Amino acid sequence: MSSLRIGSLELRSPVVLAPMAGITNVAFRTLCRELETERAGSTSGLYVCEMVTARALVERQPATLHMTTFGPTETPRSLQLYTVDPDTTYAAAKMIVDENMADHIDMNFGCPVPKVTRKGGGAALPYKRTLFSRIVAAAVKATEGTDVPVTVKFRVGIDAEHHTHLDAGRIAAGEGAAAVALHARTASQRYSGTADWNEIARLKEHVTDVPVLGNGDIFAAEDAARMMEQTGCDGVVVGRGCLGRPWLFAELSAALNGKPQPTPPNLGEVATIIRRHAELLADHHGEDKGLRELRKHVSWYLRGFPAGSELRVAMALVSTLTELDDLLVQLDPTIPFPKDAEGPRGRQGSPGTVALPEGWLDDPDDCLVPAGADLMHSGG
């Protein structure tokens, strides 16, 4: 049995769903949990909510509060914060604790999006060691005396010349973080190329007092097992690999706990999963917005299946549950899960120069809070 302890949380499998903007809402998390229970016998990992901006949370912006919705039976409830300011971090973490909004707080320092890094946020921030330290310390202080652990996720660094992950891991653990997670790419790589799992192994050797989780290029259960074996990491964080495959967590749980692999779903079962996803999205957003949110998932669900271009286009434009039902019955339910559906999925793009504030690299110990970096909307 492979398990993972993060502070007060005892997980029966060392698998974490990575927060993804517009993806890991309560509908998707509920679906993943249901499928893990159905196919592996229980829900055993950690499913993290979409990233929300600490400032927007403290200001109680309605859209942000809506993003923090959890299912009535969802436990543990995990919420990720995007933050750049120690004071706002403390206020947001204290709000989460005082109002019992979540059982776990993760902090995102891995976002490589130019609109984030150009203002000093996301993957740019760990370069500022003192500021990074104060932000982590603020979250930990806000949760003192509670069972809510704080964890930190970051990248290898800004680019090949500016690696920050070893310092970030040491600092986070030293300030009281209960675990750290590394996406084994630099910000300049974005999601391109191959994740360098050797850097996860280096971080694991460097940080020995809290669990180290690995993230990057886990697209199948075998990838997770291989990452843990090669790097010695304590758990895995899965992002793009579950797009259109919410049943992946059942496969991961089985593989990491020495159980037989569940049979991948045929097209009829995938159609049932799509319908359930649509229903959950409609419950969360209302039918109109919920079905619009489903559209981006359709190509991931049907990847590799012989569904036909006209049907794919129609499903990508679906607007009601009734319309979706009419389209799903046109799929051949007997078609088995295709080999072509395996492998990398989701955004990849190409590497590029990281946009940074002017003079950002001049002094890594400068602790000035970057101006305007927390004004973005949640989920960037």
Side-chain angles (χ1 to χ4, degrees), residues 9 38 56 59 167 171 253 313-314 317 322 339 359 366 368:
L9 305 180
E38 175 187 317
E59 293 175 352
D167 278 343
I171 291 168
S253 176
V313 170
L317 297 173
T322 300
K339 188 71 175 175
D366 174 24
L368 184 67

Side-chain angles (χ1 to χ4, degrees), residues 118-324:
R118 103 168 17 100
K119 292 187 177 181
L125 198 142
Y127 184 79
K128 301 293 190 181
R129 296 175 298 217
T130 302
L131 178 59
F132 175 77
S133 175
R134 292 181 179 180
I135 291 172
V136 177
V140 172
K141 182 180 179 181
T143 61
E144 279 181 347
T146 77
D147 290 331
V148 178
V150 172
T151 59
V152 182
K153 184 184 178 188
F154 43 82
R155 284 186 173 234
V156 172
I158 292 174
D159 51 34
E161 288 72 44
H162 300 91
H163 283 192
T164 57
H165 62 312
L166 299 184
D167 278 343
R170 171 184 55 80
I171 291 168
E175 293 295 352
V180 297
L182 176 66
H183 183 159
R185 287 180 171 86
T186 62
S188 66
Q189 287 180 275
R190 297 172 188 166
Y191 297 92
S192 67
T194 303
D196 186 354
W197 291 0
N198 291 328
E199 297 298 345
I200 300 172
R202 290 186 66 204
L203 181 64
K204 176 60 182 173
E205 292 173 355
H206 193 72
V207 176
T208 58
D209 45 354
V210 300
V212 172
L213 312 182
N215 176 221
D217 295 351
I218 296 177
F219 298 108
E222 295 78 10
D223 297 330
R226 189 162 49 87
M227 175 187 280
M228 294 187 69
E229 181 180 355
Q230 288 184 10
T231 70
C233 67
D234 302 287
V236 297
V237 182
V238 180
R240 294 173 297 150
C242 68
L243 298 176
R245 288 192 303 182
W247 57 86
L248 177 61
F249 296 95
E251 298 174 358
L252 289 163
S253 176
L256 295 177
N257 285 295
K259 296 180 179 179
Q261 283 285 296
T263 302
N266 60 27
L267 188 51
E269 292 169 315
V270 170
T272 300
I273 292 168
I274 293 173
R275 182 56 169 79
R276 177 58 176 160
H277 196 173
E279 177 186 319
L280 290 165
L281 283 168
D283 287 345
H284 181 52
H285 288 302
E287 186 171 4
D288 181 60
K289 183 178 180 181
L291 270 292
R292 281 188 278 117
E293 287 289 315
L294 180 73
R295 294 172 183 175
K296 62 191 170 193
H297 295 270
V298 168
S299 62
W300 296 324
Y301 275 119
L302 297 182
R303 175 178 167 176
F305 284 106
S309 59
E310 289 187 9
L311 185 55
R312 290 174 185 272
V313 170
M315 291 185 67
L317 297 173
V318 69
S319 57
T320 68
L321 290 170
T322 300
E323 183 181 342
L324 178 64

